[in-house]
Amino acid sequence: MVTTTAELAEDEDGRARFDALIAADQRIEPRDWMPDKYRRTLVRQISQHAHSEIIGMQPEANWITRAPSLKRKAILMAKVQDEAGHGLYLYAAAQTLGISREEMTAQLIEGRARYSSIFNYHTPTWADMGAIGWLVDGAAICNQVPLCRASYGPYGRAMVRICKEESFHQRQGFEILYELSHGTPEQKQMAQDAVDRWYWPSLMMFGPSDDASPNSAQSMAWNIKRFSNDELRQRFVGMCVPQFEALGLECPDKDLRYDEETGTWITGEIDWDEFAAVLDGRGPANAARLRHRREAHDDGAWVREAAAEYARKQHDSERVAV
Ligand SMILES: [Fe+2]
Ligand SMILES: [Fe+2]
């Protein structure tokens, strides 16, 4: 590709404007000039986030038909449906950066894209619905509230709506666990076991320390990321401690303590080998999640064809009417 002098000057102007907007903590919009790396970083982050919402429907969908009451079923269905909506807002936000929905879907079902490792764990009991809502959606809120101020406009705006719904998800999870932990001894044990299963993976959701996260510094400089992984994990642990007490459940981290001097929570050792293995496709449910997503995509082919044909006919009849 030949770049002309006029194009170079335009790029210079664009870059100066981009830098000024970032420095003033303003938003970058789809038609604004942006560095290639900024665009690629956002496409990667937003599409991974969208995939996580979509794959994240599976562990909970597993319980829709077995929820213990009509009320619980209605709540769980609404929650899982919200997650589908989150996936759609986020795919739409990523599309404004020039990648198609088809390409993102292909990356996911062909195993070329990542999604949050947390969704590769199984949900053997009803209490897992409580633990996911309380811990996984709770960790997601800590991660996502600062993203409402992300410098890329469509991403930040999508996150505002998503965060409102996430706080409902977290409350419903807490409420499921509260009922169980105040029920029979067996129910309380079921709640404890589920929390034991999900606590450590939910701490891993924040990712390794930032020293080990190569993209963190650049994302901070671009106002995409506002806090370090460790700062967000601290916030999450601080939020969980009084809630464990309210639930009457034990925190599985026996080494957890608050250090008055530094004002930080000291946690036990997080098993980063487990995190790496799950991320690498070797978690308990990775294969099942992708297989299920691939099958759903194939099964939905006729819906996409019918929708495209309907849109084509609508378009044709509008042209005739004009
Ligand atoms: Fe969500
Ligand atoms: Fe959620």
Side-chain angles (χ1 to χ4, degrees), residues 53-54 57 80-90 162 165:
E53 302 281 358
I54 297 299
M57 295 164 75
V80 172
Q81 212 167 14
D82 282 352
E83 307 299 6
H86 298 174
L88 298 187
Y89 305 150
L90 290 165
I162 290 175
E165 293 177 345

Side-chain angles (χ1 to χ4, degrees), residues 61-83:
N62 181 34
W63 277 91
I64 289 177
T65 55
R66 293 178 288 157
S69 71
L70 183 60
K71 185 181 122 189
R72 293 290 182 198
K73 189 188 291 250
I75 295 171
L76 187 60
M77 271 175 69
K79 198 260 185 196
V80 172
Q81 212 167 14
D82 282 352
E83 307 299 6

Side-chain angles (χ1 to χ4, degrees), residues 15-212:
R15 182 180 296 276
R17 189 163 174 276
F18 175 87
D19 289 344
L21 285 169
I22 295 290
D25 207 357
Q26 301 276 315
R27 288 219 142 126
I28 308 297
E29 296 297 339
R31 286 195 182 82
D32 291 339
W33 184 93
M34 61 188 85
D36 270 349
K37 201 163 167 237
Y38 177 82
R39 187 184 297 276
R40 284 200 306 272
T41 299
L42 281 164
V43 166
R44 194 192 62 239
Q45 180 170 338
I46 303 174
S47 62
Q48 279 181 10
H49 192 162
H51 299 326
S52 304
E53 302 281 358
I54 297 299
I55 295 284
M57 295 164 75
Q58 292 187 35
E60 289 174 292
N62 181 34
W63 277 91
I64 289 177
T65 55
R66 293 178 288 157
S69 71
L70 183 60
K71 185 181 122 189
R72 293 290 182 198
K73 189 188 291 250
I75 295 171
L76 187 60
M77 271 175 69
K79 198 260 185 196
V80 172
Q81 212 167 14
D82 282 352
E83 307 299 6
H86 298 174
L88 298 187
Y89 305 150
L90 290 165
Y91 282 130
Q95 281 175 285
T96 64
L97 292 158
I99 186 168
S100 69
R101 175 86 178 270
E102 289 72 19
E103 171 58 15
M104 287 184 276
T105 305
Q107 288 175 351
L108 175 63
I109 61 180
E110 289 163 15
R112 289 184 281 132
R114 281 194 167 160
Y115 57 86
S116 178
S117 61
I118 192 87
F119 301 115
N120 293 310
Y121 291 87
H122 289 299
T123 48
T125 70
W126 169 250
D128 291 85
M129 300 303 95
I132 289 185
W134 180 45
L135 293 170
V136 177
D137 290 272
I141 293 170
C142 290
N143 255 327
Q144 293 172 7
V145 166
L147 288 173
C148 296
R149 294 191 291 125
S151 57
Y152 188 57
Y155 191 30
R157 287 189 289 273
M159 293 316 302
V160 171
R161 170 82 180 267
I162 290 175
C163 283
K164 284 186 185 153
E165 293 177 345
E166 294 301 353
S167 45
F168 152 67
H169 299 169
Q170 201 248 0
R171 288 298 305 170
Q172 66 88 38
F174 182 86
E175 210 256 334
I176 290 173
L177 289 177
Y178 190 89
E179 291 261 309
L180 292 173
S181 65
H182 291 77
T184 64
E186 289 79 8
Q187 286 173 321
K188 185 169 182 182
Q189 189 57 50
M190 186 165 80
Q192 183 67 56
D193 291 345
V195 164
D196 290 350
R197 273 192 287 279
W198 292 92
Y199 182 76
W200 288 107
S202 69
L203 290 193
M204 295 173 197
M205 281 174 73
F206 298 92
S209 277
D210 289 85
D211 323 337

